């Protein structure tokens, strides 16, 4: 089968690889249909991902069709499916507490093991959800939106809560969309006027342009000096995360959606006087995938606006390398495999 392989940082090629064998019990063989390209993939390509073994087949935002199944699998051959790419051990403390998204031994397809930028992939059946009438193109967008939906669920905010999402990339936009679906009053902060222009004109969000004034001044202006009830950071930027503590209102909540590799330093008196709730959010759960799928089905997610670029498996090595640095107008790119 054809597969796009990242042999080492900066070296992405189309290779012919052996097709996966017959699925073992509890697993299914999926013919890949669509694969979203994620910030993580650009990081892997650029060699910026902290613990990654090369060569690697990337791709974790995936839809496809079941073509073969092992014993005990109830899905039907021919069924359209969404892949949950977080393979969990089922035994560790997180798994026992119903949190496979932060399994101690988690293996993410396309990161810790080979992913779906190829024609076929073996997946545990418990990680496959029927697409239930969603198109395979739409189904491939569920995973990146589920990250935001999960972060919003983690915040447990009341409808109407004044909410700031920092970072207007795909994860930030997904977080903002699902915060709005949850009834929160959402503003987006970013350093890019182009991204904010899109968020405002195409998605209808209030925006704070960090290229025009300091974030502190913008937050003060937007909240009458009180700060936001809920702040989500989706920048992956250490400086931004550290500044975000100051944007939270007394009694409010800070949710760290994206991860940074550095230590985060904050003032304990500032943190304590607010009685701030600090929440980490990692990956997503099956319930988040269901919520996103239902929201796409009922028209609450303007997916057509978010998917701005398309390519094929054969053209991926060139296109992905280009999009890693040509970000103008790019929100989400999708590989059409099948
Ligand atoms: Zn992703
Ligand atoms: Zn586990």
């Amino acid at each position: 089968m054809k597969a796009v392989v990242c042999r080492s940082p900066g070296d992405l090629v189309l290779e012919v690889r052996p097709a996966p064998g017959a699925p073992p019990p509890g697993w299914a063989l999926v013919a890949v249909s669509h694969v979203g390209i994620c910030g993580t993939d650009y990081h892997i390509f650029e060699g910026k991902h902290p613990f990654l073994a090369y060569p690697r087949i990337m791709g974790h935002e995936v839809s496809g069709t079941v073509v073969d199944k092992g014993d005990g699998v109830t899905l039907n051959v021919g069924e359209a499916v969404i892949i949950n790419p977080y393979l969990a051990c089922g035994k560790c403390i997180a798994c026992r507490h119903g949190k496979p998204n932060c399994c101690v031994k988690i293996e993410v397809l396309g990161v810790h093991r080979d992913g779906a930028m190829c024609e076929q992939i073996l997946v545990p059946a418990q990680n496959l959800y029927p697409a239930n009438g969603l198109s395979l193109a739409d189904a491939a967008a569920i995973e990146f939106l589920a990250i935001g939906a999960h972060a919003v669920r983690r915040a447990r905010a009341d409808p109407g809560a004044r909410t700031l999402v920092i970072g207007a990339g795909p994860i930030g936009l997904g977080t903002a969309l699902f915060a709005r679906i949850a009834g929160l009053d959402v503003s987006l902060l970013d350093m890019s006027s182009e991204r904010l222009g899109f968020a405002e004109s195409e998605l209808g969000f209030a925006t704070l342009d960090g290229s025009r004034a300091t974030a502190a001044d913008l937050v003060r202006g937007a909240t009458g000096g009180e700060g936001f009830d809920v702040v989500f950071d989706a920048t992956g930027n250490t400086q931004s995360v550290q500044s975000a503590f100051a944007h939270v209102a007394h009694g409010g909540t800070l949710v760290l959606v994206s991860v940074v590799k550095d230590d985060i330093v904050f003032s304990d008196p500032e943190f304590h006087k607010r009685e701030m709730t600090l929440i980490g959010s990692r990956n997503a759960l099956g319930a988040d995938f269901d919520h996103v799928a239902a929201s796409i089905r009922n028209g609450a997610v303007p997916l057509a606006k978010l998917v701005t670029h398309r390519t094929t498996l054969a053209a991926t090595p060139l296109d992905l390398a280009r999009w890693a640095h040509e970000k103008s107008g790019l929100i989400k790119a999708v590989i059409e495999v099948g």
Side-chain angles (χ1 to χ4, degrees):
M1 68 168 178
K2 281 180 265 173
V4 173
V5 181
C6 191
R7 294 193 291 200
S8 61
D11 181 12
L12 194 62
V13 292
L14 189 71
E15 283 185 3
V16 175
R17 288 279 185 102
W27 289 59
L29 182 64
V30 175
V32 177
S33 171
H34 290 71
V35 186
I37 303 177
C38 175
T40 303
D41 301 320
Y42 296 118
H43 282 154
I44 293 171
F45 170 68
E46 293 172 319
K48 291 182 191 162
H49 200 281
F51 311 107
L52 198 110
Y54 297 87
R56 177 62 70 229
I57 299 175
M58 303 184 288
H60 59 271
E61 305 181 359
V62 198
S63 65
T65 307
V66 175
V67 289
D68 195 5
K69 59 181 191 169
D71 289 343
V73 175
T74 54
L75 289 160
N76 297 313
V77 169
E79 193 154 5
V81 288
I82 301 145
I83 295 181
N84 175 334
Y86 321 123
L87 274 49
C89 76
K91 295 176 188 136
C92 75
I93 181 148
C95 287
R96 296 201 308 275
H97 289 164
K99 299 185 62 141
N101 60 313
C102 58
C103 168
V104 174
K105 295 183 178 166
I106 197 163
E107 287 196 297
V108 180
L109 294 177
V111 181
H112 306 98
R113 57 193 287 157
D114 280 340
M117 290 189 190
C118 58
E119 292 178 296
Q120 294 192 331
I121 185 168
L122 283 171
V123 184
Q126 65 185 14
N127 285 71
L128 297 175
Y129 310 136
N132 278 337
L134 273 190
S135 74
L136 286 165
D138 287 356
I142 290 176
E143 191 269 350
F144 91 88
L145 293 167
I147 304 282
H150 184 69
V152 169
R153 204 151 59 87
R154 296 272 294 142
R156 297 169 175 268
D158 295 324
R162 276 199 299 220
T163 300
L164 179 66
V165 177
I166 310 172
I171 296 295
L173 291 174
T175 304
L177 285 165
F178 279 86
R180 183 159 70 190
I181 288 168
L184 312 188
D185 175 13
V186 185
S187 299
L188 269 159
L189 167 66
D190 198 282
M191 298 300 288
S192 160
S193 305
E194 186 199 316
R195 281 180 162 184
L196 291 177
F198 174 85
E200 204 171 281
S201 64
E202 299 298 314
L203 306 178
F205 286 110
T207 59
L208 306 180
D209 189 340
S211 71
R212 301 224 169 113
T214 68
D217 283 344
L218 293 167
V219 168
R220 213 173 291 125
T223 62
E226 290 182 323
F228 285 91
D229 301 313
V230 191
V231 175
F232 295 92
D233 191 283
T235 62
N237 178 287
T238 306
Q239 212 54 52
S240 171
V241 173
Q242 293 187 162
S243 310
F245 283 80
H247 307 331
V248 180
H250 281 233
T253 299
L254 174 59
V255 185
L256 304 185
V257 188
S258 54
V259 62
V260 299
K261 65 179 178 357
D262 304 300
D263 293 348
I264 297 297
V265 178
F266 60 92
S267 156
D268 185 57
E270 293 295 322
F271 172 76
H272 249 97
K273 77 181 186 191
R274 287 170 169 77
E275 197 185 55
M276 192 187 299
T277 302
L278 177 60
I279 295 176
S281 184
R282 186 172 185 201
N283 298 328
L285 288 164
D288 303 306
F289 280 71
D290 290 346
H291 177 42
V292 172
S295 302
I296 294 173
R297 233 175 254 121
N298 71 24
V301 183
L303 261 190
K305 291 178 175 171
L306 298 176
V307 178
T308 53
H309 292 52
R310 284 176 184 78
T311 186
T312 61
L313 210 49
T316 294
L318 275 178
D319 284 338
L320 193 150
R322 196 155 43 84
W323 296 332
H325 57 90
E326 265 177 33
K327 297 290 187 201
S328 185
L330 173 69
I331 306 289
K332 175 60 71 180
V334 173
I335 306 169
E336 295 169 340
V337 178

